[in-house]
Amino acid sequence: MAFTPQQLVEIMSRYKETGDKKLRNDLVIGYSNVVKYAVISTRNMYQKYADADDITSEGMLALMAAIDNFDPSKNVKFETYASIKVRGAIID
């Protein structure tokens, strides 16, 4: 499930106002492909040290943090912001 930029602004705004975990969970499900891509693209870095499921869990936590910290007023695509945060968490 991908969101249009306008839907993202609306959902992010509602989440920031209400703190509704359902809205955050909808965003996590909608953007879980960002985590999947980051896990696949960095698998050579962590294969010796961790299981893909563990790395995916870390990526999902980073995605949730990215949702909490994202500021739509900065005019940055959420996918770009989230992919940087998720990839950084996987590398760390």
Side-chain angles (χ1 to χ4, degrees):
M1 157 177 31
F3 299 102
T4 65
Q6 184 59 32
Q7 288 173 323
L8 178 60
V9 169
E10 290 173 15
I11 292 171
M12 284 288 180
S13 295
R14 284 194 324 220
Y15 174 64
K16 297 286 184 186
E17 290 172 10
T18 65
D20 184 358
K21 299 297 181 191
K22 184 187 178 322
L23 293 173
R24 187 199 61 199
N25 293 342
D26 289 343
L27 292 167
V28 169
I29 291 168
Y31 290 106
S32 62
N33 61 331
V34 171
V35 174
K36 182 179 177 182
Y37 179 77
V39 168
I40 290 170
S41 68
T42 59
R43 70 178 169 259
N44 290 333
M45 292 182 201
Y46 65 78
Q47 273 183 330
K48 296 177 186 174
Y49 308 108
D51 184 59
D53 291 336
D54 293 335
I55 298 300
T56 302
S57 294
E58 289 296 322
M60 293 302 272
L61 291 172
L63 178 60
M64 285 187 254
I67 290 168
D68 288 338
N69 297 323
F70 181 67
D71 184 1
S73 68
K74 301 280 185 184
N75 292 327
V76 175
K77 286 181 62 176
F78 177 73
E79 294 91 341
T80 304
Y81 176 78
S83 65
I84 291 168
K85 294 295 188 179
V86 169
R87 185 173 166 84
I90 289 172
I91 291 170
D92 286 347

